[in-house]
C-alpha cells in the first residue's frame, strides 16, 4: 500500500532530503458523455480510488530533478528548458511547472518523486492525475494561490502544448474536483457543475481492462476533433451566432453538413446525440431508473463504435457479451477509446460469475488477459497529511 510514509521514505532515498509537500490526485471513470468535452458539451465523470502520488521539495537553484518510480527513471533539466526527447512523464511535470511559472512568476527549482497505482494506458487518465498532482504540489510548495479549476486548466494546456493531444477538460476536472460517491455533471463550456449521487444499493460498477494500450496522441483523437470543428465552421457560415456543436440542432446538421461531407456529418451528429443521452442519463439517475440508464450506456457504446469510430474489436466483444448477460444492465467503452476499459453496471452479487465466464472467452478470442478493476468513487486531489 502506498502511504505518505512510504512516499516520503522513497523521496529521502533518492534525494537525501525530506519532502516538503506530498500530494495524491485520482484517476477517473466517466459514466456517459464521451468526446463531448472538447465540443463545449456535458460530461459525467467521477474520481476513483487509484492515484498518482508526488512528493516535492524546493531547491536552491533553477533545476528540476525528477524521479519516476514506475519507470525507475531519473530526469534532470532546468525550469525554463524543454527537450523534445524528454520522456512523456517528465514532459507533464515540466509543462505544468513552466505554465504555472508563466502565470505566477513564483516557481523555482524543485525535486519531485512520482509513484502511482492508476493503471497506465487503460483510459483511467493517469496522465491527467499526474498533471493535477504536480500542479497541486507546485501550487502548495511555492504559494501560487491557484484555484482547483486553474490547476485543471493548466493540466489540459500541458496536454495540448507539451504532448500534442488536443483533449478537453473532463479528466483534469474530475481529478481535482471529484467527490466521494458522486459523479460530476460538468458543463464544459461554462465550467459550472453539479454533483450527482451514485449511492445505489443494488448495483455496482466494474471496469474491464482489455489490456489493449492506447496512446491517444497517435490515434485519431485529434482527427475527430477536427471533424467536429469543420462541421461547426460550415453551420456558422449560415448561423454566425453558433460557437460549437452544443448550439447546433440535428436539423441544421442535416441541412448544411450532410450534403457537404457524410463523415463529418456522422461525427457531428454523434456529439449532438451524446449530449442528449447524457441529459437523459441524469434524469434516469434522478428517477432511480437503472434499466433506462443501462440502455443509454449500451446505445452510447454502439454509437461510439459505429458512428464516432473510436472503439476496437476487443471493446465491442466485451460490450456484446455484457448485453447477453441478464445481470449487466449497461456497459460501454470508456474514455478516448481505441483500447482501455469498458465500464459495466451490474446487479450486486453477480460480478464474479460474469467475469468468470467472460475472461476465458476473451482470452480465447484475443489471446489477451482481461483485468477486472474494482473502483470506489472518491474525492479529488488532496495533500497527504
Ligand atoms: C480523453 C480526453 C478527454 C475526453 C475523453 C473522451 O480521456 O483526455 O478530454 O475527450 O478522451 O471523452
Amino acid at each position: 500500500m502506498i502511504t505518505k510514509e512510504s512516499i516520503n521514505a522513497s523521496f529521502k532515498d533518492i534525494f537525501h532530503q525530506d519532502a516538503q509537500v506530498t500530494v495524491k490526485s485520482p484517476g477517473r471513470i466517466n459514466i456517459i458523455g464521451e468526446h463531448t468535452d472538447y465540443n463545449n458539451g456535458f460530461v459525467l465523470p467521477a474520481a476513483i480510488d487509484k492515484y498518482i502520488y508526488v512528493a516535492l521539495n524546493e531547491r536552491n537553484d533553477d533545476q528540476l530533478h525528477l524521479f519516476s518510480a514506475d519507470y525507475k527513471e531519473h530526469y534532470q533539466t532546468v525550469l525554463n528548458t524543454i527537450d523534445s526527447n524528454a520522456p512523456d512523464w517528465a514532459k507533464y511535470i515540466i509543462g505544468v511547472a513552466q505554465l504555472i511559472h508563466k502565470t505566477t512568476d513564483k516557481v523555482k527549482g524543485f525535486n519531485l518523486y512520482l509513484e502511482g497505482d492508476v493503471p497506465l494506458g487503460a483510459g483511467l487518465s493517469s496522465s491527467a492525475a499526474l498533471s493535477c498532482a504536480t500542479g497541486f504540489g507546485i501550487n502548495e510548495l511555492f504559494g501560487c494561490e491557484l484555484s482547483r479549476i486553474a490547476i485543471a486548466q493548466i493540466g489540459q494546456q500541458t496536454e495540448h502544448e507539451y504532448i500534442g493531444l488536443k483533449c478537453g477538460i473532463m479528466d483534469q476536472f474530475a481529478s481535482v474536483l471529484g467527490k466521494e460517491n458522486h459523479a460530476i455533471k460538468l458543463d464544459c463550456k461554462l465550467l459550472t457543475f453539479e454533483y450527482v449521487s451514485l449511492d445505489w444499493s443494488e448495483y455496482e460498477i466494474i471496469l474491464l481492462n482489455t489490456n489493449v494500450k492506447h496512446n491517444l496522441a497517435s490515434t485519431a483523437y485529434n482527427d475527430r476533433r477536427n471533424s467536429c470543428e469543420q462541421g461547426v465552421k460550415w453551420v456558422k457560415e449560415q448561423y454566425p451566432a453558433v460557437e460549437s456543436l452544443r448550439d447546433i440542432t440535428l436539423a441544421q446538421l442535416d441541412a448544411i453538413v450532410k450534403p457537404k461531407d457524410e463523415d463529418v456529418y456522422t461525427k457531428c451528429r454523434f456529439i449532438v446525440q451524446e449530449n442528449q443521452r447524457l441529459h437523459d442519463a441524469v434524469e434516469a439517475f434522478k428517477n432511480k431508473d437503472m434499466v433506462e440508464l443501462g440502455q443509454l450506456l449500451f446505445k452510447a457504446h454502439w454509437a461510439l463504435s459505429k458512428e464516432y469510430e473510436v472503439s476496437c474489436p476487443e471493446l465491442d466483444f466485451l460490450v456484446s457479451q455484457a448485453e447477453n448477460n441478464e445481470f449487466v444492465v449497461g456497459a460501454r467503452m470508456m474514455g478516448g477509446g481505441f483500447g482501455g476499459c469498458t465500464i459495466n453496471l451490474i446487479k450486486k452479487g453477480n460480478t464474479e460469475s460474469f467475469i468468470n465466464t467472460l475472461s476465458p472467452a476473451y482470452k480465447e478470442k484475443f489471446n489477451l488477459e482481461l483485468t477486472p478493476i474494482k473502483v470506489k468513487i472518491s474525492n479529488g486531489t488532496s495533500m497527504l497529511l
Side-chain angles (χ1 to χ4, degrees):
M1 198 175 117
I2 304 174
T3 61
K4 182 179 180 186
E5 288 67 36
S6 72
I7 300 269
N8 287 0
S10 305
F11 184 95
K12 200 161 186 173
D13 269 358
I14 309 259
F15 298 114
H16 311 294
Q17 287 167 356
D18 286 320
Q20 290 167 287
V21 168
T22 311
V23 176
K24 68 174 183 180
S25 201
R28 63 102 189 89
I29 57 167
N30 185 26
I31 309 282
I32 199 163
E34 225 60 271
H35 290 267
T36 41
D37 59 353
Y38 55 81
N39 284 301
N40 275 350
F42 295 82
V43 290
L44 195 60
I48 57 176
D49 59 340
K50 307 263 174 254
Y51 301 93
I52 296 291
Y53 298 81
V54 298
L56 304 88
N57 80 348
E58 197 176 332
R59 296 179 56 87
N60 297 324
D61 53 27
D62 64 350
Q63 299 199 4
L64 309 187
H65 289 208
L66 315 175
F67 182 81
S68 159
D70 290 329
Y71 293 103
K72 299 201 176 22
E73 195 175 13
H74 276 280
Y75 189 79
Q76 192 173 320
T77 185
V78 281
L79 177 59
N80 58 14
T81 320
I82 177 79
D83 171 5
S84 55
N85 294 320
D88 274 1
W89 65 266
K91 281 187 191 160
Y92 283 105
I93 298 166
I94 300 163
V96 168
Q98 291 185 348
L99 290 172
I100 295 186
H101 190 56
K102 223 179 188 174
T103 48
T104 64
D105 206 20
K106 286 197 165 161
V107 182
K108 302 198 187 86
F110 58 84
N111 299 315
L112 182 148
Y113 170 87
L114 143 74
E115 185 176 344
D117 57 14
V118 189
L120 304 176
L124 301 182
S125 299
S126 52
S127 37
L130 171 57
S131 311
C132 294
T134 303
F136 204 88
I138 291 176
N139 190 43
E140 204 61 39
L141 188 64
F142 298 107
C144 301
E145 294 179 9
L146 295 173
S147 68
R148 281 179 182 259
I149 292 186
I151 291 171
Q153 287 171 317
I154 281 173
Q156 181 193 19
Q157 203 183 340
T158 301
E159 194 78 60
H160 287 198
E161 294 176 13
Y162 291 78
I163 304 293
L165 181 76
K166 300 279 183 201
C167 66
I169 189 81
M170 167 167 78
D171 305 347
Q172 295 79 6
F173 204 96
S175 193
V176 293
L177 278 147
K179 178 171 168 179
E180 204 173 351
N181 294 330
H182 288 77
I184 309 169
K185 181 187 172 197
L186 171 65
D187 178 330
C188 298
K189 177 179 180 186
L190 304 175
L191 296 186
T192 50
F193 61 100
E194 116 188 41
Y195 289 114
V196 178
S197 168
L198 297 182
D199 252 338
W200 316 304
S201 48
E202 291 174 36
Y203 294 90
E204 60 189 3
I205 288 177
I206 184 90
L207 308 179
L208 296 175
N209 189 355
T210 56
N211 287 308
V212 176
K213 295 234 159 62
H214 63 186
N215 174 0
L216 288 181
S218 63
T219 65
Y221 186 95
N222 289 345
D223 301 343
R224 295 293 177 280
R225 186 172 182 145
N226 292 338
S227 296
C228 295
E229 283 168 5
Q230 179 60 66
V232 173
K233 227 161 134 194
W234 283 331
V235 178
K236 202 176 168 66
E237 286 167 6
Q238 290 185 36
Y239 298 91
V242 156
E243 280 177 11
S244 58
L245 285 169
R246 94 192 249 152
D247 312 320
I248 294 178
T249 62
L250 289 178
Q252 287 170 324
L253 289 180
D254 282 338
I256 301 167
V257 181
K258 194 167 196 253
K260 286 194 195 289
D261 187 318
E262 192 73 35
D263 187 57
V264 171
Y265 166 75
T266 308
K267 302 294 175 275
C268 292
R269 189 186 58 188
F270 166 83
I271 298 297
V272 173
Q273 292 179 333
E274 181 74 352
N275 273 321
Q276 187 54 50
R277 276 189 288 269
L278 182 141
H279 293 303
D280 294 347
V282 172
E283 261 319 289
F285 267 121
K286 290 187 177 154
N287 300 331
K288 299 203 182 331
D289 187 347
M290 301 312 267
V291 174
E292 167 67 11
L293 175 66
Q295 286 304 314
L296 288 162
L297 297 193
F298 285 131
K299 270 192 207 149
H301 177 79
W302 295 115
L304 281 158
S305 174
K306 307 290 176 223
E307 297 169 14
Y308 213 62
E309 296 181 291
V310 289
S311 185
C312 63
E314 292 83 354
L315 289 165
D316 287 352
F317 175 77
L318 294 181
V319 174
S320 309
Q321 297 291 309
E323 270 176 330
N324 293 332
N325 183 302
E326 59 179 313
F327 300 112
V328 184
V329 287
R332 64 175 194 84
M333 56 150 278
M334 194 182 70
F338 310 102
C341 292
T342 58
I343 176 170
N344 301 267
L345 194 56
I346 304 190
K347 263 226 164 220
K348 270 194 183 151
N350 298 286
T351 301
E352 230 183 274
S353 66
F354 174 52
I355 293 167
N356 288 345
T357 19
L358 195 50
S359 287
Y362 183 73
K363 172 99 195 183
E364 158 130 21
K365 194 160 168 66
F366 297 106
N367 198 23
L368 281 169
E369 293 303 322
L370 184 68
T371 315
I373 305 174
K374 214 171 153 124
V375 290
K376 270 212 219 113
I377 308 303
S378 304
N379 287 328
T381 320
S382 65
M383 293 280 283
L384 279 180
L385 298 172

